[in-house]
Amino acid sequence: MPVEDHAVHKKTKFDDTTRYGCHNKDRDFTGYQAPNRAAGTDGYKPTWWMERVRIPHVMSRECRFDRSLQDPWCEGCKHRGSGEAYDARIRAAAGIK
């Protein structure tokens, strides 16, 4: 079946200027608000309502990519190399060479 030829979308092309989504992003994210369906009773009758709950950010805020010094997509990032430093610190603490 013939298919119409079209140009390749720019988001599918990768070159030396491509960067990861985390490139130079600030790491001060503390969490977010999410909707929650809460349940309760109004006397004997069950009732439901919507409320907003805070979801704290509990994951690492530093770069954990342990190959950022070799990866060209990390070139110019202010967090470049912190993943390798973290990896070396953990390996030293665990006694792994």
Side-chain angles (χ1 to χ4, degrees), residues 22-96:
C22 57
H23 188 78
N24 282 335
K25 291 241 174 125
D26 290 327
R27 309 288 189 205
D28 58 354
F29 181 68
T30 59
Y32 62 96
Q33 299 281 333
N36 181 46
R37 187 173 179 207
T41 58
D42 183 17
Y44 294 104
K45 182 176 115 184
T47 183
W48 301 87
W49 65 90
M50 293 299 292
E51 64 182 12
R52 299 193 63 76
V53 294
R54 175 147 179 75
I55 310 295
H57 180 70
V58 296
M59 296 180 71
S60 66
R61 287 178 170 78
E62 297 176 13
C63 176
R64 294 291 188 244
F65 184 40
D66 63 347
R67 303 225 189 304
S68 65
L69 293 175
Q70 293 90 22
D71 195 329
W73 288 12
C74 295
E75 189 72 39
C77 182
K78 63 184 177 183
H79 304 290
R80 189 174 194 201
S82 63
E84 284 86 351
Y86 174 77
D87 183 54
R89 195 168 59 243
I90 297 302
R91 288 179 180 274
I96 302 171

